Amino acid sequence: MSANAGYKINNHGILIFYSQFSNTDRNLSLISESDSKTKYINTFSRNLLEYSENKERFTTNYKVAYLTEQYRYFPDIESKFFTFGQSESLIGKVDLGYQLIESIQLNGIFDYSHTKGFGSSFGDNTRQIGAIAIKAVEQHNEKWQNELGFRKEASSDYDSPFLFSLGSSYAFTPFYNLKANFSRNFRIPTFNDLYWSPGGNANLKPESSYQAEVGNVFKYKKITLSETVYYMKIDDLIRWIPMNGDVWSPENTDRVNTYGSETILGWTNSYGKNNFAVNGTYAYTVSKNMDTKKQLFFVPYHKATASFAYSYSNLSIDYQYLYNGFVYTRSDNDPKEVIDAYKVSNIGLAYTFKSLDSSKIGFQVLNLFNEKYESMEDRRMAGRNFNIYIILKF
């Protein structure tokens, strides 16, 4: 369930409240017929109060959020025994903007989060993180835009380095735009990484990286094509890997270099009441452990998606396609230990009721061609299956 409500206080300020709630009760797939049947129940709530104000050169944005999440895991659904975990987070953020001159926008950002986690074999743990950031955007002219940002965090658990990002975008012609970005990034382990039972690793180190990317954007009439190449140097990469049986655990991989490219193609057009949209993506990823020179397992070299959508008046139809290349399942890249590449297609039909404020009813056929595939080792995915949904807006 989700609900949003807003109130315009005056010509300058607006107050908005967002709320979401979810409860999921599901069984987990079994590796063999002799395994005990299991169950996992997950519940979360997310609540956000936001106030925005815009006065001449000044903009202000205040956000306060309260998040809760809890799970119960039953290793045998015939037993009442379960393990559980719960977290509560209070988050505050202030974004103050000032138009220094016509071409330069400055933002000062302050945020704070307080998170408490507790549960079975989880202990009672609290984390506090405060941060200050400064961002400057310069619109040099209609063709050239630059961005510069700095951020420093203070955490109750880990020391954080000084972070930065630098980006620039230049439109050489209406047909071609060049973008470049360079940044330093940092990520501390989550509570799940540290304390999840079973599998958590309390000895994890924070993950840090440097990233550079260059993007080329081409536009011609209704067609957009973007080609981005990137390089990341990562220290202490945090990854969840299979351990004993079906237990996974996170570990740090000392040095990882990741590089590759991403291509995105899009086309949209309309003829009267007929609307067409075609989109496609292709990603090539090399992610190597620099000590072993091997590709990280469960990272495909190739991944591609495509979609086609057509609508006429209130009726719409769409088709989706996913290709996921093979992945290694062992760190030594044993060619016999792989998950084969797979192709999955989905198709959907929907009808929009304009008389009911754009409410919608839809029907989907997922895994249209009944592909037999696994996304994780020994975890078979569903064959052809069906989804019916109703969206009501009021």
Side-chain angles (χ1 to χ4, degrees):
M1 295 186 295
S2 64
N4 306 328
Y7 180 72
K8 188 174 182 179
I9 298 174
N10 52 45
N11 291 332
H12 305 289
I14 185 170
L15 186 68
I16 305 178
F17 177 71
Y18 305 87
S19 183
Q20 291 183 346
F21 171 81
S22 174
N23 178 267
T24 303
D25 186 345
R26 65 189 179 100
N27 299 109
L28 305 179
S29 60
L30 305 180
I31 295 178
S32 67
E33 294 181 2
S34 61
D35 291 346
S36 298
K37 294 182 179 180
T38 61
K39 182 169 67 173
Y40 180 80
I41 300 175
N42 178 249
T43 303
F44 72 76
S45 67
R46 299 168 182 168
N47 303 279
L48 171 66
L49 183 65
E50 178 182 14
Y51 175 72
S52 299
E53 189 174 78
N54 192 338
K55 287 185 178 181
E56 297 179 350
R57 291 176 176 264
F58 293 92
T59 60
T60 55
N61 181 270
Y62 304 91
K63 293 179 180 177
V64 178
Y66 180 67
L67 317 176
T68 67
E69 184 163 4
Q70 61 181 6
Y71 76 88
R72 286 185 293 164
Y73 173 70
F74 294 79
D76 186 345
I77 60 175
E78 302 298 330
S79 170
K80 294 183 178 180
F81 172 77
F82 63 86
T83 58
F84 79 97
Q86 183 170 338
S87 68
E88 301 171 353
S89 299
L90 179 65
I91 304 171
K93 183 177 181 180
V94 179
D95 187 339
L96 305 176
Y98 179 67
Q99 193 74 38
L100 184 63
I101 58 177
E102 185 177 356
S103 61
I104 298 179
Q105 167 78 23
L106 298 178
N107 285 79
I109 303 169
F110 310 87
D111 58 67
Y112 169 80
S113 65
H114 181 282
T115 302
K116 181 180 181 181
F118 50 93
S120 307
S121 304
F122 195 85
D124 192 337
N125 299 277
T126 301
R127 171 181 291 172
Q128 300 183 74
I129 301 176
I132 181 172
I134 298 174
K135 179 182 177 182
V137 177
E138 184 220 14
Q139 189 70 46
H140 195 76
N141 52 43
E142 293 182 356
K143 295 183 177 181
W144 191 11
Q145 177 177 295
N146 301 292
E147 294 186 11
L148 178 64
F150 302 98
R151 181 178 174 87
K152 185 69 175 75
E153 293 184 356
S155 168
S156 57
D157 297 334
Y158 297 97
D159 293 328
S160 171
F162 186 72
L163 307 178
F164 65 86
S165 64
L166 173 64
S168 185
S169 173
Y170 189 84
F172 287 89
T173 68
F175 172 73
Y176 175 60
N177 191 351
L178 176 65
K179 299 180 178 181
N181 181 273
F182 179 67
S183 62
R184 185 181 187 184
N185 307 292
F186 181 76
R187 185 172 78 89
I188 64 177
T190 66
F191 274 19
N192 280 349
D193 293 333
L194 296 170
Y195 309 119
W196 181 270
S197 178
N201 182 356
N203 297 315
L204 285 175
K205 302 175 185 177
E207 177 184 303
S208 63
S209 67
Y210 288 93
Q211 178 174 339
E213 65 178 41
V214 176
N216 302 274
V217 181
F218 304 89
K219 292 183 179 181
Y220 178 71
K221 294 183 178 180
K222 305 290 185 177
I223 300 174
T224 301
L225 172 66
S226 69
E227 175 68 31
T228 302
V229 295
Y230 63 89
Y231 175 83
M232 294 179 62
K233 182 181 182 299
I234 309 171
D235 291 325
D236 296 316
L237 175 69
I238 299 173
R239 294 190 306 136
W240 282 76
I241 62 173
M243 304 298 283
N244 299 321
D246 59 354
V247 175
W248 289 58
S249 181
E251 69 170 19
N252 289 114
T253 302
D254 291 339
R255 296 182 303 141
V256 174
N257 282 2
T258 297
Y259 59 89
S261 65
E262 184 177 71
T263 304
I264 302 175
L265 176 65
W267 173 80
T268 59
N269 212 341
S270 298
Y271 303 97
K273 293 184 178 181
N274 298 280
N275 302 292
F276 299 88
V278 178
N279 293 282
T281 69
Y282 168 73
Y284 173 71
T285 305
V286 177
S287 191
K288 288 189 175 181
N289 183 324
M290 295 309 297
D291 294 329
T292 64
K293 307 300 181 184
K294 302 292 186 180
Q295 176 86 344
L296 299 185
F297 50 89
F298 293 108
V299 178
Y301 285 107
H302 306 280
K303 188 173 183 178
T305 67
S307 66
F308 169 80
Y310 168 75
S311 66
Y312 178 83
S313 188
N314 297 8
L315 191 66
S316 63
I317 185 171
D318 66 271
Y319 171 79
Q320 301 167 348
Y321 171 86
L322 165 68
Y323 171 82
N324 199 88
F326 83 92
V327 296
Y328 294 110
T329 61
R330 300 293 185 271
S331 58
D332 61 359
N333 288 184
D334 184 345
K336 297 180 180 179
E337 300 290 346
V338 300
I339 295 177
D340 294 331
Y342 58 85
K343 304 177 289 294
V344 178
S345 295
N346 307 316
I347 192 168
L349 182 68
Y351 183 83
T352 302
F353 300 93
K354 292 186 178 180
S355 59
L356 297 177
D357 195 21
S358 298
S359 295
K360 181 184 293 187
I361 183 171
F363 175 76
Q364 292 177 309
V365 182
L366 308 176
N367 195 358
L368 178 64
F369 300 110
N370 203 31
E371 176 86 357
K372 294 179 174 61
Y373 72 102
E374 298 175 355
S375 59
M376 289 294 178
E377 192 174 19
D378 297 322
R379 298 287 183 179
R380 292 181 177 86
M381 301 300 291
R384 185 183 298 113
N385 60 100
F386 308 94
N387 180 40
I388 299 173
Y389 62 91
I390 298 174
I391 299 175
L392 299 176
K393 295 183 180 181
F394 56 89

PDB file of all heavy atoms in Angstrom, residues 108-132:
ATOM      1  N   GLY A 108      24.328  23.607  -0.511  1.00  0.00           N
ATOM      2  CA  GLY A 108      24.915  23.037   0.692  1.00  0.00           C
ATOM      3  C   GLY A 108      23.972  21.980   1.231  1.00  0.00           C
ATOM      4  O   GLY A 108      22.780  22.239   1.430  1.00  0.00           O
ATOM      5  N   ILE A 109      24.473  20.780   1.454  1.00  0.00           N
ATOM      6  CA  ILE A 109      23.634  19.657   1.852  1.00  0.00           C
ATOM      7  C   ILE A 109      24.128  19.082   3.169  1.00  0.00           C
ATOM      8  O   ILE A 109      25.320  18.799   3.331  1.00  0.00           O
ATOM      9  CB  ILE A 109      23.641  18.566   0.760  1.00  0.00           C
ATOM     10  CG1 ILE A 109      23.176  19.152  -0.578  1.00  0.00           C
ATOM     11  CG2 ILE A 109      22.760  17.389   1.160  1.00  0.00           C
ATOM     12  CD1 ILE A 109      23.404  18.239  -1.765  1.00  0.00           C
ATOM     13  N   PHE A 110      23.210  18.928   4.113  1.00  0.00           N
ATOM     14  CA  PHE A 110      23.517  18.341   5.405  1.00  0.00           C
ATOM     15  C   PHE A 110      22.570  17.162   5.624  1.00  0.00           C
ATOM     16  O   PHE A 110      21.352  17.298   5.446  1.00  0.00           O
ATOM     17  CB  PHE A 110      23.330  19.362   6.536  1.00  0.00           C
ATOM     18  CG  PHE A 110      24.013  20.669   6.299  1.00  0.00           C
ATOM     19  CD1 PHE A 110      23.381  21.689   5.587  1.00  0.00           C
ATOM     20  CD2 PHE A 110      25.305  20.896   6.767  1.00  0.00           C
ATOM     21  CE1 PHE A 110      24.013  22.899   5.357  1.00  0.00           C
ATOM     22  CE2 PHE A 110      25.940  22.098   6.536  1.00  0.00           C
ATOM     23  CZ  PHE A 110      25.300  23.103   5.828  1.00  0.00           C
ATOM     24  N   ASP A 111      23.108  16.019   5.998  1.00  0.00           N
ATOM     25  CA  ASP A 111      22.212  14.890   6.285  1.00  0.00           C
ATOM     26  C   ASP A 111      22.721  14.100   7.483  1.00  0.00           C
ATOM     27  O   ASP A 111      23.917  14.095   7.805  1.00  0.00           O
ATOM     28  CB  ASP A 111      22.028  13.996   5.058  1.00  0.00           C
ATOM     29  CG  ASP A 111      23.308  13.435   4.507  1.00  0.00           C
ATOM     30  OD1 ASP A 111      23.934  12.627   5.192  1.00  0.00           O
ATOM     31  OD2 ASP A 111      23.680  13.803   3.372  1.00  0.00           O
ATOM     32  N   TYR A 112      21.760  13.444   8.135  1.00  0.00           N
ATOM     33  CA  TYR A 112      22.060  12.666   9.337  1.00  0.00           C
ATOM     34  C   TYR A 112      21.145  11.455   9.361  1.00  0.00           C
ATOM     35  O   TYR A 112      19.955  11.545   9.014  1.00  0.00           O
ATOM     36  CB  TYR A 112      21.821  13.510  10.585  1.00  0.00           C
ATOM     37  CG  TYR A 112      21.840  12.719  11.879  1.00  0.00           C
ATOM     38  CD1 TYR A 112      23.044  12.354  12.467  1.00  0.00           C
ATOM     39  CD2 TYR A 112      20.652  12.309  12.479  1.00  0.00           C
ATOM     40  CE1 TYR A 112      23.061  11.613  13.635  1.00  0.00           C
ATOM     41  CE2 TYR A 112      20.662  11.570  13.648  1.00  0.00           C
ATOM     42  CZ  TYR A 112      21.870  11.222  14.222  1.00  0.00           C
ATOM     43  OH  TYR A 112      21.893  10.474  15.383  1.00  0.00           O
ATOM     44  N   SER A 113      21.684  10.307   9.754  1.00  0.00           N
ATOM     45  CA  SER A 113      20.871   9.098   9.876  1.00  0.00           C
ATOM     46  C   SER A 113      21.234   8.370  11.164  1.00  0.00           C
ATOM     47  O   SER A 113      22.401   8.317  11.568  1.00  0.00           O
ATOM     48  CB  SER A 113      21.074   8.175   8.671  1.00  0.00           C
ATOM     49  OG  SER A 113      22.400   7.694   8.623  1.00  0.00           O
ATOM     50  N   HIS A 114      20.213   7.843  11.797  1.00  0.00           N
ATOM     51  CA  HIS A 114      20.365   7.041  13.020  1.00  0.00           C
ATOM     52  C   HIS A 114      19.643   5.719  12.776  1.00  0.00           C
ATOM     53  O   HIS A 114      18.433   5.697  12.567  1.00  0.00           O
ATOM     54  CB  HIS A 114      19.762   7.777  14.212  1.00  0.00           C
ATOM     55  CG  HIS A 114      19.897   7.031  15.511  1.00  0.00           C
ATOM     56  ND1 HIS A 114      19.071   5.973  15.852  1.00  0.00           N
ATOM     57  CD2 HIS A 114      20.769   7.179  16.546  1.00  0.00           C
ATOM     58  CE1 HIS A 114      19.428   5.512  17.042  1.00  0.00           C
ATOM     59  NE2 HIS A 114      20.449   6.225  17.481  1.00  0.00           N
ATOM     60  N   THR A 115      20.396   4.624  12.796  1.00  0.00           N
ATOM     61  CA  THR A 115      19.836   3.308  12.495  1.00  0.00           C
ATOM     62  C   THR A 115      20.092   2.356  13.641  1.00  0.00           C
ATOM     63  O   THR A 115      21.208   2.273  14.154  1.00  0.00           O
ATOM     64  CB  THR A 115      20.448   2.725  11.207  1.00  0.00           C
ATOM     65  OG1 THR A 115      20.219   3.629  10.115  1.00  0.00           O
ATOM     66  CG2 THR A 115      19.827   1.383  10.868  1.00  0.00           C
ATOM     67  N   LYS A 116      19.042   1.647  14.021  1.00  0.00           N
ATOM     68  CA  LYS A 116      19.146   0.635  15.067  1.00  0.00           C
ATOM     69  C   LYS A 116      18.726  -0.694  14.491  1.00  0.00           C
ATOM     70  O   LYS A 116      17.676  -0.801  13.838  1.00  0.00           O
ATOM     71  CB  LYS A 116      18.254   0.994  16.258  1.00  0.00           C
ATOM     72  CG  LYS A 116      18.332  -0.006  17.400  1.00  0.00           C
ATOM     73  CD  LYS A 116      17.431   0.400  18.562  1.00  0.00           C
ATOM     74  CE  LYS A 116      17.542  -0.595  19.709  1.00  0.00           C
ATOM     75  NZ  LYS A 116      16.661  -0.225  20.848  1.00  0.00           N
ATOM     76  N   GLY A 117      19.530  -1.730  14.712  1.00  0.00           N
ATOM     77  CA  GLY A 117      19.210  -3.058  14.227  1.00  0.00           C
ATOM     78  C   GLY A 117      19.325  -4.082  15.335  1.00  0.00           C
ATOM     79  O   GLY A 117      20.240  -4.011  16.165  1.00  0.00           O
ATOM     80  N   PHE A 118      18.414  -5.028  15.364  1.00  0.00           N
ATOM     81  CA  PHE A 118      18.453  -6.062  16.401  1.00  0.00           C
ATOM     82  C   PHE A 118      17.727  -7.291  15.887  1.00  0.00           C
ATOM     83  O   PHE A 118      16.924  -7.224  14.948  1.00  0.00           O
ATOM     84  CB  PHE A 118      17.829  -5.570  17.710  1.00  0.00           C
ATOM     85  CG  PHE A 118      16.474  -4.945  17.553  1.00  0.00           C
ATOM     86  CD1 PHE A 118      15.318  -5.687  17.697  1.00  0.00           C
ATOM     87  CD2 PHE A 118      16.365  -3.587  17.253  1.00  0.00           C
ATOM     88  CE1 PHE A 118      14.078  -5.096  17.554  1.00  0.00           C
ATOM     89  CE2 PHE A 118      15.122  -2.995  17.111  1.00  0.00           C
ATOM     90  CZ  PHE A 118      13.970  -3.753  17.258  1.00  0.00           C
ATOM     91  N   GLY A 119      18.032  -8.460  16.501  1.00  0.00           N
ATOM     92  CA  GLY A 119      17.388  -9.692  16.062  1.00  0.00           C
ATOM     93  C   GLY A 119      18.159 -10.915  16.500  1.00  0.00           C
ATOM     94  O   GLY A 119      19.149 -10.826  17.256  1.00  0.00           O
ATOM     95  N   SER A 120      17.744 -12.073  16.010  1.00  0.00           N
ATOM     96  CA  SER A 120      18.385 -13.340  16.357  1.00  0.00           C
ATOM     97  C   SER A 120      19.833 -13.350  15.860  1.00  0.00           C
ATOM     98  O   SER A 120      20.099 -13.061  14.699  1.00  0.00           O
ATOM     99  CB  SER A 120      17.621 -14.508  15.716  1.00  0.00           C
ATOM    100  OG  SER A 120      16.255 -14.462  16.035  1.00  0.00           O
ATOM    101  N   SER A 121      20.758 -13.697  16.743  1.00  0.00           N
ATOM    102  CA  SER A 121      22.183 -13.758  16.394  1.00  0.00           C
ATOM    103  C   SER A 121      22.650 -12.462  15.744  1.00  0.00           C
ATOM    104  O   SER A 121      23.582 -12.456  14.940  1.00  0.00           O
ATOM    105  CB  SER A 121      22.460 -14.940  15.446  1.00  0.00           C
ATOM    106  OG  SER A 121      22.017 -16.144  16.021  1.00  0.00           O
ATOM    107  N   PHE A 122      22.012 -11.393  16.084  1.00  0.00           N
ATOM    108  CA  PHE A 122      22.235 -10.116  15.405  1.00  0.00           C
ATOM    109  C   PHE A 122      22.737  -9.070  16.384  1.00  0.00           C
ATOM    110  O   PHE A 122      23.340  -8.082  16.015  1.00  0.00           O
ATOM    111  CB  PHE A 122      20.883  -9.683  14.802  1.00  0.00           C
ATOM    112  CG  PHE A 122      20.966  -8.594  13.767  1.00  0.00           C
ATOM    113  CD1 PHE A 122      21.218  -8.907  12.456  1.00  0.00           C
ATOM    114  CD2 PHE A 122      20.775  -7.276  14.115  1.00  0.00           C
ATOM    115  CE1 PHE A 122      21.283  -7.909  11.493  1.00  0.00           C
ATOM    116  CE2 PHE A 122      20.843  -6.278  13.165  1.00  0.00           C
ATOM    117  CZ  PHE A 122      21.100  -6.598  11.848  1.00  0.00           C
ATOM    118  N   GLY A 123      22.446  -9.329  17.679  1.00  0.00           N
ATOM    119  CA  GLY A 123      22.822  -8.362  18.694  1.00  0.00           C
ATOM    120  C   GLY A 123      21.920  -7.153  18.642  1.00  0.00           C
ATOM    121  O   GLY A 123      20.868  -7.145  18.017  1.00  0.00           O
ATOM    122  N   ASP A 124      22.346  -6.133  19.325  1.00  0.00           N
ATOM    123  CA  ASP A 124      21.619  -4.862  19.352  1.00  0.00           C
ATOM    124  C   ASP A 124      22.622  -3.792  18.948  1.00  0.00           C
ATOM    125  O   ASP A 124      23.493  -3.410  19.726  1.00  0.00           O
ATOM    126  CB  ASP A 124      21.064  -4.606  20.758  1.00  0.00           C
ATOM    127  CG  ASP A 124      20.073  -3.459  20.782  1.00  0.00           C
ATOM    128  OD1 ASP A 124      20.143  -2.609  19.871  1.00  0.00           O
ATOM    129  OD2 ASP A 124      19.253  -3.388  21.714  1.00  0.00           O
ATOM    130  N   ASN A 125      22.519  -3.307  17.710  1.00  0.00           N
ATOM    131  CA  ASN A 125      23.537  -2.432  17.154  1.00  0.00           C
ATOM    132  C   ASN A 125      22.924  -1.118  16.679  1.00  0.00           C
ATOM    133  O   ASN A 125      21.818  -1.085  16.145  1.00  0.00           O
ATOM    134  CB  ASN A 125      24.228  -3.108  15.966  1.00  0.00           C
ATOM    135  CG  ASN A 125      24.916  -4.398  16.353  1.00  0.00           C
ATOM    136  OD1 ASN A 125      26.035  -4.385  16.847  1.00  0.00           O
ATOM    137  ND2 ASN A 125      24.248  -5.535  16.143  1.00  0.00           N
ATOM    138  N   THR A 126      23.684  -0.050  16.868  1.00  0.00           N
ATOM    139  CA  THR A 126      23.243   1.280  16.463  1.00  0.00           C
ATOM    140  C   THR A 126      24.334   1.939  15.631  1.00  0.00           C
ATOM    141  O   THR A 126      25.525   1.812  15.930  1.00  0.00           O
ATOM    142  CB  THR A 126      22.931   2.161  17.688  1.00  0.00           C
ATOM    143  OG1 THR A 126      21.908   1.527  18.460  1.00  0.00           O
ATOM    144  CG2 THR A 126      22.451   3.533  17.256  1.00  0.00           C
ATOM    145  N   ARG A 127      23.920   2.631  14.582  1.00  0.00           N
ATOM    146  CA  ARG A 127      24.874   3.342  13.729  1.00  0.00           C
ATOM    147  C   ARG A 127      24.369   4.747  13.478  1.00  0.00           C
ATOM    148  O   ARG A 127      23.192   4.956  13.198  1.00  0.00           O
ATOM    149  CB  ARG A 127      25.049   2.614  12.392  1.00  0.00           C
ATOM    150  CG  ARG A 127      25.851   3.399  11.359  1.00  0.00           C
ATOM    151  CD  ARG A 127      25.977   2.636  10.052  1.00  0.00           C
ATOM    152  NE  ARG A 127      26.818   1.468  10.215  1.00  0.00           N
ATOM    153  CZ  ARG A 127      26.986   0.535   9.275  1.00  0.00           C
ATOM    154  NH1 ARG A 127      26.339   0.643   8.125  1.00  0.00           N
ATOM    155  NH2 ARG A 127      27.772  -0.502   9.474  1.00  0.00           N
ATOM    156  N   GLN A 128      25.281   5.704  13.572  1.00  0.00           N
ATOM    157  CA  GLN A 128      24.963   7.093  13.266  1.00  0.00           C
ATOM    158  C   GLN A 128      25.921   7.603  12.199  1.00  0.00           C
ATOM    159  O   GLN A 128      27.130   7.355  12.276  1.00  0.00           O
ATOM    160  CB  GLN A 128      25.071   7.963  14.519  1.00  0.00           C
ATOM    161  CG  GLN A 128      24.152   7.555  15.651  1.00  0.00           C
ATOM    162  CD  GLN A 128      24.259   8.486  16.835  1.00  0.00           C
ATOM    163  OE1 GLN A 128      23.768   9.616  16.815  1.00  0.00           O
ATOM    164  NE2 GLN A 128      24.912   8.014  17.884  1.00  0.00           N
ATOM    165  N   ILE A 129      25.366   8.301  11.218  1.00  0.00           N
ATOM    166  CA  ILE A 129      26.182   8.861  10.138  1.00  0.00           C
ATOM    167  C   ILE A 129      25.729  10.297   9.889  1.00  0.00           C
ATOM    168  O   ILE A 129      24.537  10.558   9.702  1.00  0.00           O
ATOM    169  CB  ILE A 129      26.050   8.054   8.835  1.00  0.00           C
ATOM    170  CG1 ILE A 129      26.474   6.604   9.051  1.00  0.00           C
ATOM    171  CG2 ILE A 129      26.882   8.689   7.722  1.00  0.00           C
ATOM    172  CD1 ILE A 129      26.264   5.733   7.826  1.00  0.00           C
ATOM    173  N   GLY A 130      26.663  11.215   9.914  1.00  0.00           N
ATOM    174  CA  GLY A 130      26.397  12.597   9.555  1.00  0.00           C
ATOM    175  C   GLY A 130      27.280  12.991   8.388  1.00  0.00           C
ATOM    176  O   GLY A 130      28.396  12.480   8.233  1.00  0.00           O
ATOM    177  N   ALA A 131      26.808  13.888   7.537  1.00  0.00           N
ATOM    178  CA  ALA A 131      27.589  14.269   6.362  1.00  0.00           C
ATOM    179  C   ALA A 131      27.282  15.704   5.965  1.00  0.00           C
ATOM    180  O   ALA A 131      26.181  16.210   6.208  1.00  0.00           O
ATOM    181  CB  ALA A 131      27.298  13.335   5.191  1.00  0.00           C
ATOM    182  N   ILE A 132      28.284  16.329   5.370  1.00  0.00           N
ATOM    183  CA  ILE A 132      28.120  17.656   4.788  1.00  0.00           C
ATOM    184  C   ILE A 132      28.664  17.611   3.369  1.00  0.00           C
ATOM    185  O   ILE A 132      29.694  16.978   3.107  1.00  0.00           O
ATOM    186  CB  ILE A 132      28.846  18.732   5.633  1.00  0.00           C
ATOM    187  CG1 ILE A 132      28.631  20.111   5.014  1.00  0.00           C
ATOM    188  CG2 ILE A 132      30.316  18.406   5.796  1.00  0.00           C
ATOM    189  CD1 ILE A 132      29.158  21.240   5.892  1.00  0.00           C
TER     190      ILE A 132
END
